[in-house]
Amino acid sequence: MKISARNQIGGTVSKITKGATTSHVSIDIGDGTIITASITNEAVADLQLRVGEPVKAIIKASDVMVAV
Amino acid sequence: MKISARNQIGGTVSKITKGATTSHVSIDIGDGTIITASITNEAVADLQLRVGEPVKAIIKASDVMVAV
Amino acid sequence: MKISARNQIGGTVSKITKGATTSHVSIDIGDGTIITASITNEAVADLQLRVGEPVKAIIKASDVMVAV
Amino acid sequence: MKISARNQIGGTVSKITKGATTSHVSIDIGDGTIITASITNEAVADLQLRVGEPVKAIIKASDVMVAV
Amino acid sequence: MKISARNQIGGTVSKITKGATTSHVSIDIGDGTIITASITNEAVADLQLRVGEPVKAIIKASDVMVAV
Amino acid sequence: MKISARNQIGGTVSKITKGATTSHVSIDIGDGTIITASITNEAVADLQLRVGEPVKAIIKASDVMVAV
């Protein structure tokens, strides 16, 4: 599957914190940079996410802000 | 200013493509990884963005998806 | 590729309206229901989108509101 | 009330899963297609959402991605 | 129509800037505070937005960040 | 830090409701107008948010809808 979201960054799951309906997934994309994703618990199970697994962080360009 | 968005990734502006109201800003975060931001032309001017300038890509955790 | 976004709705491209940096893509998901996506021109080219082609509309659960 | 969001899809509430602050609402839009919305518990109470009730799924065009 | 988005702020259209597919609408919510919305040109026409007209700015709680 | 998000509205924290992973923060921006933000519990701790503290609500223009 190819998707229109412009940002598709490879990394490895480093932590998963589960809430009642939402989980926070930490993705190590190298050089000590961690990207945090907030996704549904259902998605964590559906994608069988485990710490140490290779994944991609997918982000729409319109969801990225710039700061100086 | 400190902000609640969990993802704050340092990089350098590598390209700016201007449209009628919206610009696409490419941010090189190292290791060949480029993050694309879609922001208003007004923001590009307000932040005086230039190619080669150090910036941060700011992304809410709820705007990051995970793919396998 | 499997993605964490919970909404993945099949349909067919019925119209593409191009702007300076952003395009609006109309997706016919049947029963006369059209979903409109606003994506970058780069994504339209990258995915080689054409009217009549089968596609999926991908939407995060946190981006869906409910109205009564 | 008329709203600028381009996607306004009619359906029926088929399931509501409540978390600590956020609920997941499943909306059956016909032909077996379910749209999942993640909204605040406060919104579920405010809109008096019940399984079987007619609702609309409201989605901004800029929050819809396309996949092939 | 009642909607799940928690933020519904009354104001008056003070400016509309049109692009190729997207318009920026400035909403004066009083005390000199202006909220800027980026919506499709189609939505501007559909809602018959004019400078001086009363409108509401609608924002999901998950799209609001906090800064100190 | 300056950020590309066009909406930066000053106010005071009036309430914080904590969930398993996500908190809802109410921001009083004056004239009885409350803006609700849904942010991670980590962000609440990181920004040391307290009721009565001055903060800013930060919102991208593309996340604001208009209703009439």
Side-chain angles (χ1 to χ4, degrees):
Chain A
M1 184 171 81
K2 271 182 99 174
I3 194 165
S4 57
R6 291 300 73 195
N7 301 298
Q8 307 186 18
I9 305 164
T12 307
V13 177
S14 57
K15 191 170 73 167
I16 300 175
T17 310
K18 242 177 143 186
T21 56
T22 307
S23 291
H24 290 169
V25 179
S26 303
I27 302 169
D28 183 337
I29 64 166
D31 287 342
T33 304
I34 302 288
I35 290 185
T36 305
S38 168
I39 63 175
T40 62
N41 293 347
E42 200 189 298
V44 172
D46 186 22
L47 270 60
Q48 301 180 335
L49 294 183
R50 300 276 177 287
V51 171
E53 290 286 324
V55 294
K56 280 189 180 175
I58 309 281
I59 308 155
K60 282 172 57 71
S62 58
D63 285 333
V64 180
M65 290 161 282
V66 182
V68 293
Chain B
M1 182 171 82
K2 272 181 98 173
I3 193 165
S4 57
R6 291 300 73 195
N7 301 297
Q8 306 186 20
I9 305 165
T12 306
V13 177
S14 57
K15 192 170 72 168
I16 300 175
T17 309
K18 245 178 138 185
T21 55
T22 306
S23 291
H24 290 169
V25 180
S26 303
I27 303 169
D28 183 337
I29 64 165
D31 287 342
T33 303
I34 302 288
I35 290 184
T36 304
S38 169
I39 63 175
T40 62
N41 294 346
E42 198 189 300
V44 172
D46 186 22
L47 269 61
Q48 301 180 331
L49 294 182
R50 300 276 178 287
V51 170
E53 289 286 324
V55 294
K56 280 189 180 176
I58 309 283
I59 308 155
K60 283 172 58 69
S62 59
D63 284 333
V64 180
M65 290 162 282
V66 182
V68 292
Chain C
M1 182 171 82
K2 272 183 97 174
I3 193 164
S4 58
R6 291 302 71 196
N7 300 298
Q8 307 187 19
I9 305 165
T12 307
V13 177
S14 57
K15 190 170 74 167
I16 301 175
T17 310
K18 243 178 146 187
T21 55
T22 307
S23 290
H24 290 168
V25 179
S26 303
I27 304 169
D28 183 338
I29 64 166
D31 287 343
T33 305
I34 302 288
I35 290 185
T36 304
S38 169
I39 63 175
T40 62
N41 293 346
E42 199 189 298
V44 172
D46 185 23
L47 270 62
Q48 301 180 332
L49 294 183
R50 301 273 178 288
V51 170
E53 290 286 324
V55 294
K56 280 190 181 174
I58 309 281
I59 308 156
K60 282 171 58 69
S62 58
D63 285 334
V64 180
M65 290 161 282
V66 182
V68 291
Chain D
M1 184 172 80
K2 271 182 97 174
I3 193 164
S4 57
R6 291 301 73 193
N7 300 298
Q8 306 186 19
I9 304 165
T12 306
V13 176
S14 57
K15 191 170 72 166
I16 300 175
T17 309
K18 243 178 140 185
T21 55
T22 307
S23 290
H24 290 169
V25 179
S26 303
I27 303 170
D28 183 338
I29 63 166
D31 287 341
T33 304
I34 303 288
I35 289 185
T36 305
S38 169
I39 64 175
T40 62
N41 293 347
E42 200 189 297
V44 172
D46 186 22
L47 270 61
Q48 301 179 334
L49 295 183
R50 301 277 178 285
V51 171
E53 290 286 324
V55 294
K56 279 190 181 175
I58 309 282
I59 309 155
K60 284 172 56 70
S62 58
D63 285 333
V64 180
M65 289 161 281
V66 181
V68 290
Chain E
M1 183 171 81
K2 272 182 99 175
I3 193 164
S4 56
R6 290 301 74 195
N7 300 298
Q8 307 187 20
I9 305 165
T12 307
V13 177
S14 57
K15 191 170 72 166
I16 300 175
T17 311
K18 244 179 143 185
T21 55
T22 307
S23 290
H24 290 169
V25 179
S26 304
I27 303 169
D28 183 337
I29 64 166
D31 289 341
T33 304
I34 302 288
I35 289 185
T36 304
S38 168
I39 64 176
T40 63
N41 293 348
E42 199 190 297
V44 172
D46 185 23
L47 270 61
Q48 300 180 335
L49 294 182
R50 300 276 177 287
V51 171
E53 290 286 325
V55 293
K56 281 190 180 175
I58 309 281
I59 308 154
K60 282 171 57 69
S62 58
D63 284 334
V64 180
M65 289 162 283
V66 181
V68 292
Chain F
M1 182 171 80
K2 274 181 96 174
I3 193 163
S4 57
R6 291 301 72 196
N7 300 298
Q8 307 187 17
I9 305 164
T12 306
V13 177
S14 57
K15 191 171 72 167
I16 301 175
T17 310
K18 243 176 141 185
T21 55
T22 306
S23 291
H24 290 169
V25 179
S26 303
I27 304 169
D28 183 337
I29 63 166
D31 288 342
T33 303
I34 303 288
I35 289 184
T36 304
S38 169
I39 64 175
T40 61
N41 294 346
E42 200 189 299
V44 172
D46 186 21
L47 270 61
Q48 301 180 334
L49 294 182
R50 301 276 177 286
V51 171
E53 290 287 324
V55 293
K56 279 189 180 175
I58 309 282
I59 308 155
K60 282 170 60 67
S62 58
D63 285 333
V64 181
M65 290 161 282
V66 181
V68 292

